[in-house]
Amino acid sequence: MNSMFLAARAFRPAPLLWSQVLFSLLFCALSCGCMSCPQQCQCTNYSGETAVLCSASNLEEIPKDIPKDTMFLKLDANKITAVPNSTFRHLAHLQEIDLSKNAIEKIDSAAFKGVADGLRLLDLSGNHIQRIPKEALVNLNAMIRLSNNPWHCECTLQEVLWEVKLDPESVNEITCQTSVQEEYAGKPLLHILDSGINFCNMHQKTTDVAMFVTMFSWFTLVISYVVYYVRHNQEDTKKHLEYLKSLPSTRVPKETISTIL
């Protein structure tokens, strides 16, 4: 009996050990953010770098309770469909965001507001993105992956490619599923641009043609009205002259006739 009592006392934590455990948990909650880790995600901290791992977690939207000190955010292989404005505004320490292999169709113009300075990598590959606002990406210093999306190739997408830092290993996989001109559908966008095609010039030409057609229509309408007005006045003048000639007791001076004509 005495030996069992002594064994139990041997496994009883000392008061100092309990205080160390509580301090460690408190430090974790305050500095590492591990106590606020989103459901279906795993949060790790190594050498002061916090990573939130939510890969393949059946997420339909980006979690709102991501720890503020997160530096690496893995959201790939989920069912996320949109990136709303200011989604990452409270995550000023983010360096990498992986949103690849989702079902993203819409990215708002201020989706990445608040993380522009420190972000090094943004992966949007393997989604359902057809169009993206230029304002959503142009202020980012990060390397961006846009491959394997059903892009609609037009002026805005061309401007995005001109102004952002694309991942050189995946840039050839940015393909036009549709285009403002059908002959470019299914072709790599970089090859199209390298051949000298300028989608923005096409847009300008289309605008110029539409303006020309509109101006020509107005010009035709004005000319038609002038012709109608002249012919109508000529008919009225002839009728008035015939009426004057039909009067038996009135002689119309030649000067009057010539004036009327």
Side-chain angles (χ1 to χ4, degrees):
M1 178 69 68
N2 291 336
S3 60
M4 293 179 61
F5 178 74
L6 292 174
R9 290 195 58 179
F11 284 99
R12 183 181 300 171
L16 181 60
L17 181 59
W18 279 116
S19 63
Q20 290 175 343
V21 171
L22 292 174
F23 177 79
S24 298
L25 291 174
L26 181 61
F27 180 80
C28 180
L30 294 177
S31 63
C32 301
C34 59
M35 298 300 288
S36 62
C37 190
Q39 291 184 356
Q40 300 176 284
C41 300
Q42 294 181 354
C43 298
T44 64
N45 187 285
Y46 180 76
S47 299
E49 296 183 348
T50 301
V52 178
L53 311 177
C54 307
S55 303
S57 299
N58 289 321
L59 296 175
E60 296 183 358
E61 61 181 16
I62 298 172
K64 296 179 174 59
D65 54 347
I66 299 171
K68 292 183 179 181
D69 61 343
T70 301
M71 299 180 69
F72 305 97
L73 180 58
K74 294 277 290 180
L75 293 164
D76 56 301
N78 282 289
K79 300 176 182 179
I80 298 169
T81 59
V83 186
N85 284 329
S86 302
T87 298
F88 309 100
R89 67 185 182 279
H90 64 293
L91 304 174
H93 302 286
L94 272 178
Q95 295 186 11
E96 294 184 10
I97 303 175
D98 187 355
L99 285 163
S100 63
K101 300 176 184 178
N102 275 280
I104 297 172
E105 296 180 353
K106 182 183 179 184
I107 297 178
D108 290 341
S109 57
F112 304 103
K113 184 178 180 181
V115 299
D117 295 334
L119 197 65
R120 298 184 308 189
L121 176 64
L122 173 61
D123 194 343
L124 295 170
S125 62
N127 280 281
H128 301 164
I129 308 170
Q130 294 183 334
R131 295 177 174 86
I132 190 167
K134 183 174 65 173
E135 297 80 10
L137 302 179
V138 293
N139 293 322
L140 298 178
N141 296 321
M143 184 177 294
I144 301 174
R145 294 173 183 162
L146 299 174
S147 56
N148 299 317
N149 280 285
W151 292 108
H152 176 71
C153 292
E154 36 79 41
C155 181
T156 301
L157 181 59
Q158 176 179 309
E159 291 178 341
V160 169
L161 264 62
W162 279 345
E163 298 191 34
V164 303
K165 186 190 302 181
L166 294 172
D167 175 26
E169 296 182 0
S170 62
V171 66
N172 289 322
E173 298 174 9
I174 302 175
T175 304
C176 303
Q177 178 164 311
T178 58
S179 174
V180 289
Q181 292 196 351
E182 293 183 2
E183 62 264 33
Y184 302 123
K187 297 181 178 180
L189 179 56
L190 189 63
H191 293 177
I192 297 172
L193 299 178
D194 285 344
S195 68
I197 300 301
N198 190 324
F199 290 107
C200 295
N201 283 348
M202 291 179 186
H203 177 75
Q204 183 63 39
K205 289 179 181 178
T206 303
T207 303
D208 292 343
V209 169
M211 185 177 296
F212 175 78
V213 170
T214 302
M215 292 178 64
F216 181 78
S217 300
W218 277 104
F219 180 76
T220 303
L221 182 62
V222 171
I223 294 298
S224 301
Y225 177 77
V226 171
V227 171
Y228 170 79
Y229 181 79
V230 171
R231 288 182 178 178
H232 183 73
N233 283 349
Q234 284 181 343
E235 291 177 359
D236 287 346
T237 301
K238 288 181 180 180
K239 289 180 181 179
H240 184 66
L241 181 59
E242 290 176 358
Y243 171 75
L244 292 177
K245 288 181 178 181
S246 65
L247 296 177
S249 59
T250 304
R251 291 184 179 182
V252 179
K254 293 181 178 180
E255 295 81 0
T256 303
I257 296 176
S258 62
T259 302
I260 294 174
L261 293 175

